[in-house]
Amino acid sequence: MRKIILLSLSGLAVFLLATAALVLDGLNDKPASADVIVVPGNTILPDGTPSPRLQARLDAALKQFQENRAPRILVSGATGKEGFDEAASMARYLQSRGVPASAIIEDNQGWTTDATARNAALLMRQHGWKTAMVATQYFHVPRFRLALARAGITVSGQVHAPYFELRDLYSVPRETVGYAVYFMRH
């Protein structure tokens, strides 16, 4: 019984350390020049506008765009249960804040982090773009960066959306498991 308790405590300690490492990594913004800023989708409100969480991602990307770190923003998402195309809603949000339509690339087939990474890699290869910056929630940054790298994209930088909510208490440990699965799967 003692061995089981020790093993359980050791496993919990490893999980907590891994979680802390992922959170710290995601909070450590590394703005850098890139060919494109990639923003994964998230919830769209019933009125068709991005949720506050998604707005925060877009605002983080917008700031980098305005600081001339990248000439374009790739918004990726799918049609969620709300019935709205996330990428189109994201594009409208950015356009309403002064980003020219010509600087926005929409991927409406970004059902998952993996799909967004694969689609971004394909679009980047088609245009000859080599580097991407990540803009997403702090807890999602490491897994999204890993997915992009595994898809063949050089991730030059990262920024997190300065948005925190109670739901993060669930999202953070889930991302630790998700990162481990992504890491071992490829």
Side-chain angles (χ1 to χ4, degrees):
M1 185 66 166
R2 188 171 172 203
K3 285 184 180 180
I4 292 173
I5 291 172
L6 229 79
L7 192 59
S8 296
L9 289 174
S10 297
L12 179 61
V14 167
F15 181 80
L16 291 174
L17 285 171
T19 300
L22 289 176
V23 166
L24 291 173
D25 183 25
L27 288 170
N28 184 21
D29 286 351
K30 297 173 187 165
S33 294
D35 293 314
V36 64
I37 302 164
V38 184
V39 186
N42 201 271
T43 306
I44 301 298
L45 297 176
D47 68 357
T49 61
S51 65
R53 177 184 283 235
L54 184 52
Q55 286 180 28
R57 290 180 185 189
L58 294 165
D59 290 342
L62 177 61
K63 182 173 188 262
Q64 299 309 304
F65 178 81
Q66 290 170 334
E67 292 177 0
N68 297 313
R69 292 218 166 74
R72 60 197 65 85
I73 301 172
L74 169 60
V75 292
S76 179
T79 300
K81 63 180 183 254
E82 303 83 11
F84 296 103
D85 180 332
E86 291 172 2
S89 177
M90 294 163 72
R92 281 191 302 275
Y93 180 87
L94 290 170
Q95 288 173 21
S96 75
R97 278 144 183 83
V99 179
S102 61
I104 302 169
I105 301 95
E106 294 180 41
D107 164 29
N108 61 7
Q109 299 298 311
W111 294 97
T112 64
T113 298
D114 248 353
T116 293
R118 285 191 312 271
N119 297 344
L122 180 63
L123 285 164
M124 289 179 68
R125 278 193 293 279
Q126 288 172 348
H127 290 92
W129 303 332
K130 304 289 184 208
T131 58
M133 188 181 337
V134 168
T136 189
Q137 257 58 43
Y138 67 97
F139 53 79
H140 189 224
V141 166
R143 183 166 62 98
F144 190 40
R145 202 178 56 226
L146 176 63
L148 289 167
R150 296 261 170 98
I153 296 173
T154 300
V155 179
S156 61
Q158 66 189 47
V159 291
H160 77 281
Y163 183 80
F164 303 90
E165 61 185 338
L166 199 53
R167 174 174 134 175
D168 292 0
L169 295 175
Y170 159 78
S171 299
V172 169
R174 188 194 73 190
E175 277 299 317
T176 303
V177 173
Y179 186 90
V181 168
Y182 266 59
F183 186 80
M184 293 174 8
R185 188 174 59 185
H186 298 281

